[in-house]
Amino acid sequence: MAEIKIVITGAVGSGKTTAIQAISEIPVIATEVDASDEVREQKETTTVAMDYGELSLDDGNVLKIYGTPGQKRFSFMWEILAEGALGFVILVNNQRSSPLDDLAMYLENFEIYIKESTVVVGVTHVDEEQCGMEKYHDYMINQGLSYPIFPIDARSPSDVKVMIEAMAAMMNG
Ligand SMILES: Nc1nc2c(ncn2[C@@H]2O[C@H](COP(=O)(O)OP(=O)(O)OP(=O)(O)O)[C@@H](O)[C@H]2O)c(=O)[nH]1
Ligand SMILES: [Mg+2]
């Protein structure tokens, strides 16, 4: 049995904490505090250090899943959390004004870590209106990237599991 470290990152409110809570088999270790400043307009709490959960796979391996804080002022944690990770999920909130800029920013933030890793992109908040996934596919083509894109509801255990299990399968392949 192997333990595989993966990291879920993305902007504030993209659903990182929500996704880990949806699928973890152990009580999630979270570091939520009341949001101050502009985050408060979006939601009441925010991650300041990390989230941690676990999910076992059918092959007996266990995913150790770390969620990053979204806010740049806690970016000192990114490096710590990315160390040794084999897979990265970048979540993008489709309701934000420029979700592609968010995606570009997190791809850049994690550039040095994701080079050697498996990457998938999860587009969240697609339940709220016409999701328009074409822009993400066009972006990938324009950037010469081939990361798979999953429209998900981060609150849905099955949506999050399908994405994460696909990523685990890519690691084996
Ligand atoms: N409608 C809808 N709500 C969602 C979805 N994903 C997450 N949410 C909600 O949006 C909010 C997302 O918050 P978090 O999971 O805390 O986001 P986060 O990415 O951990 O944010 P930070 O830790 O602040 O960086 C929560 O209120 C979720 O219930 C989704 O796909 N659809
Ligand atoms: Mg969070």
Side-chain angles (χ1 to χ4, degrees):
M1 186 196 87
E3 293 181 337
I4 301 166
K5 178 176 179 180
I6 68 167
V7 167
I8 302 187
T9 191
V12 169
S14 56
K16 303 174 293 292
T17 300
T18 305
I20 295 173
Q21 279 169 345
I23 55 167
S24 181
E25 294 157 353
I26 61 162
V28 172
I29 298 165
T31 57
E32 294 294 289
V33 302
D34 286 347
S36 49
D37 55 42
E38 74 278 11
V39 174
R40 179 132 219 142
E41 290 162 24
Q42 276 190 60
K43 59 197 184 82
E44 300 214 328
T45 66
T46 189
T47 305
V48 293
M50 60 178 269
D51 305 300
Y52 177 74
E54 291 181 2
L55 176 69
S56 36
L57 301 171
D58 289 344
D59 61 9
N61 292 336
V62 176
L63 294 179
K64 300 174 114 34
I65 308 169
Y66 291 80
T68 71
Q71 292 184 69
K72 199 129 201 177
R73 65 195 171 107
F74 301 120
S75 60
F76 61 92
M77 283 303 297
W78 296 349
E79 197 178 326
I80 297 169
L81 296 175
E83 176 73 35
L86 297 181
F88 288 84
V89 177
I90 299 179
L91 292 185
V92 183
N93 176 349
N94 192 53
Q95 291 296 309
R96 295 250 299 173
S97 51
S98 354
L100 291 178
D101 290 345
D102 292 342
L103 175 58
M105 184 188 286
Y106 282 82
L107 283 170
E108 190 185 315
N109 289 339
F110 284 85
E111 192 177 12
I112 55 171
Y113 309 105
I114 62 185
K115 268 195 212 124
E116 308 289 316
S117 318
T118 301
V119 179
V120 301
V121 174
V123 180
T124 59
H125 295 259
V126 286
D127 53 290
E128 287 165 15
E129 65 173 44
Q130 276 272 315
C131 56
M133 294 299 292
E134 303 77 22
K135 60 181 179 289
Y136 299 101
H137 293 286
D138 291 347
Y139 176 87
M140 289 293 165
I141 290 166
N142 289 335
Q143 297 293 316
L145 300 171
S146 53
Y147 303 138
I149 304 160
F150 293 82
I152 63 163
D153 186 327
R155 300 165 301 178
S156 155
S158 60
D159 280 13
V160 179
K161 261 189 203 163
V162 165
M163 176 180 69
I164 301 266
E165 285 170 358
M167 185 167 82
M170 287 163 64
M171 286 173 188
N172 294 329

